[in-house]
Structure formats: structure tokens, C-alpha cells
């Protein structure tokens, strides 16, 4: 579960807050239970029951250091473009699956760097 890995990497005094967004209530329940079982405070995560692309425009621009997304290929351009707005300078977007090269209509700044990691089905990391 990415939420637990992110919270573990931040450490107990890191002050990280993970936002979990999915339209599957079972996944949200599992995330809540896992975060609680790992001993993280309830304030370490917030949970939004919705389709991620439907609520992405309601999230605060420049408020995130990391966005992790598991999306179908036809949604990659929209996710990349929105993540560019959501991420702070130096932030990263991790797309689960190999999505390189990125679609031409994905709006990214010139300094963005794309790396594909050969892990599982691949991880595409876009750093800004």
C-alpha cells in the first residue's frame, strides 16, 4: 500500500499527510485499517471516496510533494498535466506502469525529467 510506504519513509516526526483517493470503499477501509494498525495518528491520512480524476481539480495547487497514480493509458496526459499543478517545485509524480514516452499532449515544464524504473509492470517517475 503506497500510503504506508510514504508514511514510513517520512518517519514518525516527518509530519507527512497522505491523501488517499479511490471510488472503492473497500480500498479506503483497508487503507484506514492499515494506517491505524501501523500506529500512525489519524491525522496522518485523509480519505476521499471519489474517482480520483473527478476530484483532482478540487485539490489545492502546489500543496503536494508526491503524487502516486495508477491510471489507464488514456488518462495519463490529464494526470500528468494536473499533477504538474498540484506538485510543489521539486515534487514527483509516480505513475504505476510503464507510460514512457509520455503523451505529447501532457503539459509539463521544460525542466521536467521522466524516468522509467523496471519494477513490476514498471514505474514512470516524473520529477519537476
Amino acid at each position: 500500500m503506497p500510503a504506508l510506504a510514504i508514511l514510513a519513509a517520512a518517519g514518525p516526526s516527518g509530519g507527512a499527510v497522505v491523501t488517499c483517493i479511490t471510488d472503492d470503499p473497500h480500498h479506503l477501509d483497508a487503507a484506514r485499517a492499515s494506517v491505524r494498525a501501523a500506529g500512525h495518528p489519524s491525522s496522518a491520512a485523509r480519505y476521499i471516496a471519489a474517482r480520483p480524476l473527478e476530484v483532482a481539480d478540487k485539490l489545492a495547487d502546489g500543496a503536494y510533494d508526491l503524487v502516486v497514480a495508477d491510471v489507464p493509458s488514456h488518462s495519463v496526459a490529464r494526470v500528468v498535466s494536473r499533477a504538474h499543478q498540484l506538485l510543489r517545485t521539486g515534487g514527483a509524480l509516480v505513475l504505476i506502469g510503464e507510460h514512457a514516452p509520455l503523451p505529447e499532449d501532457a503539459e509539463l515544464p521544460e525542466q521536467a525529467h521522466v524516468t522509467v524504473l523496471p519494477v513490476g509492470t514498471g514505474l514512470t517517475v516524473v520529477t519537476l
Side-chain angles (χ1 to χ4, degrees), residues 8 10 15 34 45 53 55 58 70 74 83 85 87 91 98 104 114 116 118:
S34 295
L53 290 175
V55 297
K58 297 176 183 176
D70 186 0
H74 63 78
Q85 297 167 337
L87 291 166
E98 185 174 332
E104 288 186 24
V114 179
V116 177

Side-chain angles (χ1 to χ4, degrees), residues 8-116:
S13 61
V17 177
V18 174
T19 302
C20 303
I21 305 170
T22 181
D23 62 346
D24 185 330
H26 301 293
H27 287 174
L28 285 179
D29 290 343
R32 277 188 191 95
S34 295
V35 168
R36 188 174 34 253
H40 296 287
S42 59
S43 60
R46 67 182 186 142
Y47 308 92
I48 300 173
R51 292 178 183 221
L53 290 175
E54 291 177 2
V55 297
D57 291 336
K58 297 176 183 176
L59 301 174
D61 288 351
Y64 296 85
D65 295 307
L66 177 67
V67 173
V68 178
D70 186 0
V71 296
S73 294
H74 63 78
S75 298
V76 168
R78 181 164 177 227
V79 169
V80 169
S81 298
R82 184 63 186 124
H84 168 227
Q85 297 167 337
L86 291 171
L87 291 166
R88 293 182 180 110
T89 301
L93 164 65
V94 176
L95 294 167
I96 298 173
E98 185 174 332
H99 294 288
L102 294 175
E104 288 186 24
D105 56 341
E107 298 174 22
L108 281 176
E110 236 177 77
Q111 75 272 15
H113 182 76
V114 179
T115 304
V116 177

